[in-house]
Short mmCIF file of all heavy atoms in Angstrom, two decimals:
data_model
loop_
_atom_site.label_atom_id
_atom_site.label_comp_id
_atom_site.label_asym_id
_atom_site.label_seq_id
_atom_site.Cartn_x
_atom_site.Cartn_y
_atom_site.Cartn_z
N ARG B 63 -23.94 2.49 26.96
CA ARG B 63 -22.83 1.53 27.00
C ARG B 63 -22.05 1.49 25.70
O ARG B 63 -21.17 0.67 25.53
CB ARG B 63 -23.33 0.14 27.40
CG ARG B 63 -24.56 -0.30 26.69
CD ARG B 63 -24.96 -1.71 27.19
NE ARG B 63 -26.21 -2.12 26.57
CZ ARG B 63 -26.78 -3.28 26.77
NH1 ARG B 63 -26.21 -4.15 27.58
NH2 ARG B 63 -27.90 -3.59 26.16
N PHE B 64 -22.37 2.37 24.82
CA PHE B 64 -21.60 2.50 23.58
C PHE B 64 -20.64 3.68 23.72
O PHE B 64 -20.87 4.60 24.49
CB PHE B 64 -22.52 2.74 22.39
CG PHE B 64 -23.44 1.59 22.12
CD1 PHE B 64 -24.65 1.47 22.81
CD2 PHE B 64 -23.11 0.62 21.18
CE1 PHE B 64 -25.50 0.39 22.57
CE2 PHE B 64 -23.96 -0.46 20.94
CZ PHE B 64 -25.16 -0.58 21.63
N VAL B 65 -19.58 3.63 22.94
CA VAL B 65 -18.68 4.77 22.88
C VAL B 65 -18.59 5.21 21.43
O VAL B 65 -18.20 4.44 20.56
CB VAL B 65 -17.27 4.42 23.39
CG1 VAL B 65 -16.33 5.60 23.23
CG2 VAL B 65 -17.32 3.97 24.85
N ASN B 66 -19.04 6.42 21.19
CA ASN B 66 -19.03 6.95 19.83
C ASN B 66 -17.72 7.65 19.52
O ASN B 66 -17.25 8.46 20.31
CB ASN B 66 -20.20 7.91 19.62
CG ASN B 66 -21.43 7.18 19.14
OD1 ASN B 66 -21.89 6.23 19.79
ND2 ASN B 66 -21.95 7.56 17.98
N TYR B 67 -17.20 7.33 18.35
CA TYR B 67 -15.96 7.95 17.91
C TYR B 67 -16.24 8.83 16.70
O TYR B 67 -17.11 8.52 15.89
CB TYR B 67 -14.94 6.87 17.53
CG TYR B 67 -14.37 6.16 18.72
CD1 TYR B 67 -14.98 5.01 19.24
CD2 TYR B 67 -13.23 6.65 19.35
CE1 TYR B 67 -14.45 4.37 20.36
CE2 TYR B 67 -12.70 6.01 20.46
CZ TYR B 67 -13.32 4.87 20.96
OH TYR B 67 -12.80 4.24 22.06
N GLU B 68 -15.47 9.89 16.60
CA GLU B 68 -15.58 10.76 15.44
C GLU B 68 -14.22 11.38 15.13
O GLU B 68 -13.33 11.40 15.98
CB GLU B 68 -16.61 11.87 15.68
CG GLU B 68 -16.24 12.81 16.82
CD GLU B 68 -17.29 13.89 17.06
OE1 GLU B 68 -18.29 13.91 16.33
OE2 GLU B 68 -17.09 14.70 17.97
N VAL B 69 -14.06 11.85 13.91
CA VAL B 69 -12.82 12.50 13.51
C VAL B 69 -12.61 13.75 14.36
O VAL B 69 -13.53 14.53 14.56
CB VAL B 69 -12.88 12.90 12.01
CG1 VAL B 69 -11.69 13.79 11.65
CG2 VAL B 69 -12.91 11.66 11.13
N ASP B 70 -11.41 13.91 14.86
CA ASP B 70 -11.06 15.12 15.60
C ASP B 70 -10.40 16.10 14.63
O ASP B 70 -9.32 15.83 14.10
CB ASP B 70 -10.09 14.78 16.73
CG ASP B 70 -9.80 15.97 17.64
OD1 ASP B 70 -9.97 17.12 17.19
OD2 ASP B 70 -9.41 15.75 18.79
N PRO B 71 -11.06 17.24 14.40
CA PRO B 71 -10.52 18.21 13.44
C PRO B 71 -9.10 18.67 13.78
O PRO B 71 -8.34 19.05 12.89
CB PRO B 71 -11.50 19.39 13.54
CG PRO B 71 -12.77 18.78 14.03
CD PRO B 71 -12.35 17.67 14.95
N ASP B 72 -8.74 18.63 15.06
CA ASP B 72 -7.40 19.05 15.46
C ASP B 72 -6.33 18.20 14.78
O ASP B 72 -5.28 18.70 14.35
CB ASP B 72 -7.23 18.97 16.97
CG ASP B 72 -7.98 20.07 17.69
OD1 ASP B 72 -8.48 20.98 17.01
OD2 ASP B 72 -8.07 20.02 18.93
N GLY B 73 -6.58 16.89 14.71
CA GLY B 73 -5.62 16.00 14.07
C GLY B 73 -5.48 16.31 12.60
O GLY B 73 -4.37 16.41 12.06
N ILE B 74 -6.63 16.49 11.96
CA ILE B 74 -6.63 16.84 10.53
C ILE B 74 -5.89 18.16 10.32
O ILE B 74 -5.12 18.31 9.37
CB ILE B 74 -8.08 16.95 10.02
CG1 ILE B 74 -8.76 15.58 10.07
CG2 ILE B 74 -8.13 17.54 8.62
CD1 ILE B 74 -8.13 14.56 9.17
#
Side-chain angles (χ1 to χ4, degrees):
Chain B
R63 46 181 176 177
F64 296 85
V65 176
N66 270 56
Y67 287 90
E68 63 181 0
V69 171
D70 186 337
D72 287 351
I74 294 297

